[in-house]
Amino acid sequence: MTILVPVLGDQLSHGLASLRDVARADAVVLMMEVAEETVYVRHHKRKIALILAAMRHFADELRADGWTVDFVRLDDPANSGSFTGEVGRAVKRHGATAIRIVEPGEWRVKTAIDSWAKRFGLPVDVLADDRFVCGILEFQTWAQGRRDLVMEYFYHEMRRKTGLLMTEDGQPEGGQWNLDKENRAPPKRGLNYPEPMHFTPDETTREVLDLVADRFADHFGRLEEFALPVTAAQARRALGHFIRTALPDFGTYQDAMVTGQDWLYHSWLSPALNLGLLTPIEICEAAAAAYARGEAPLNATEGFIRQIIGWREYVRGYYWLEMPDVAGANALGAQRPLPEFYWTGETDMLCLAEAVRNTRDNGYAHHIQRLMVLGNFAMLAGVRPQDVADWFLVVYADAYEWVELPNVIGMSQHADGGRLATKPYAGGGAYIDRMSDHCGRCRYDVKQKTGPDACPFNALYWDFLARHERRFRGNRRMMNMYANWNRMKPEIRDAYRASAATFLDTLEPAAPGWAR
């Protein structure tokens, strides 16, 4: 009896369910670097390198732990290029009598796995991915019968379930569930921003970097100075470094943006987390322990934990609840192609240029750059949500469809009609001015509302509200916005819309075939 245990590239956890309760003598672990996964969208070079390097290190660790590992490299001439093709070849090589795998993170991979039992004539045991706090069926049970899926309520349930930041009598630490009001401070001069921990590539990683540089030379992004953690041991060191150096100020300044400062107080642990090198619970427990020792304030600790067991778990549940239909959602009827500057960074809007530069250089931008700069601009400009989703999936090292698609389609573009978020996250130049130092250095004047020198976000914001007034004017969270719009003189409203139209006419679309 030989059980084939495929381990996917985002399942690099020694506690993976498929590696438990199976004898090493009876199992062959199959790991596959397949072309299909590297080019189903044209991923950032740094993202490809991260996944391949982490997979190769994980395979070595499994061998050292006594597992038989069949590792198919990307440049193997016999590589079929797909998961299904490589599973089929491995079944024949090893005379497999069964397949045992943890459920995948993405719908298209699930579709492939669902075909294996019939295709190969073998039993396929698909196990729940219990690295997440909330299982897929558990989330569906929670969501059943709810008119609105409010993340805050879900987050309370996850706090109760895990006991994180909970008192002995079942109350939230400090008496409040959510301290977000304390986490919106603009950046002050003189802040000392720590760098994330950097790791020098070893021989295995350098080999991958050479492969990616050669094979994916025309993909987006810089590969130079690659320093991400590629093993669980490195990821744990990076976690400890963040807890010591950045968590204390993370909460207060988590929404801030500063020109030339790529990391601020953010952890940049999400690539390791989404690969499986870290688990959500060990990250959250490390943060909670720092709070218990008096080394991090409650607002920072709560805000950080909420992002992981609240928002991350919530969007994963939403993804599996709403797929596949949500992938094509376009409730606002947006049809503009993605602007070219999302690739080049060549725009006079400094906030956007900085976000694209950071994205290109590091495969990274923090959540406010993604939501309130890059995503906000795309929504205000009426860019096709599927173009935006494809771009986000391409460019970020931590992007997998299960986490990226809900954040873009639901949160950033409001293309799901409000299923994920109760209002669109639209903002004008004033928000960016408040939360960054970009506007004082920008070619455009954030204080001007219309005209060629005015910040384009100002006119685009009001033009967006005007275009969608019928849909949003009854939204209780947007009543003040429409009250302000309706108080404006007609000539002022006309000036906003004219300025928006003039600016939008200057946008050059990205070249065809940029994503796939």
Side-chain angles (χ1 to χ4, degrees), residues 4-18:
L4 189 67
V5 185
V7 173
L8 305 179
D10 58 352
Q11 297 179 345
L12 309 183
S13 307
H14 287 282
L16 195 68
S18 58

Side-chain angles (χ1 to χ4, degrees), residues 451-471:
D453 295 324
C455 172
F457 270 106
N458 293 332
L460 290 174
Y461 172 77
W462 291 113
D463 182 64
F464 172 82
L465 292 181
R467 293 199 315 269
H468 299 291
E469 183 172 7
R470 180 174 296 180
R471 173 180 287 274

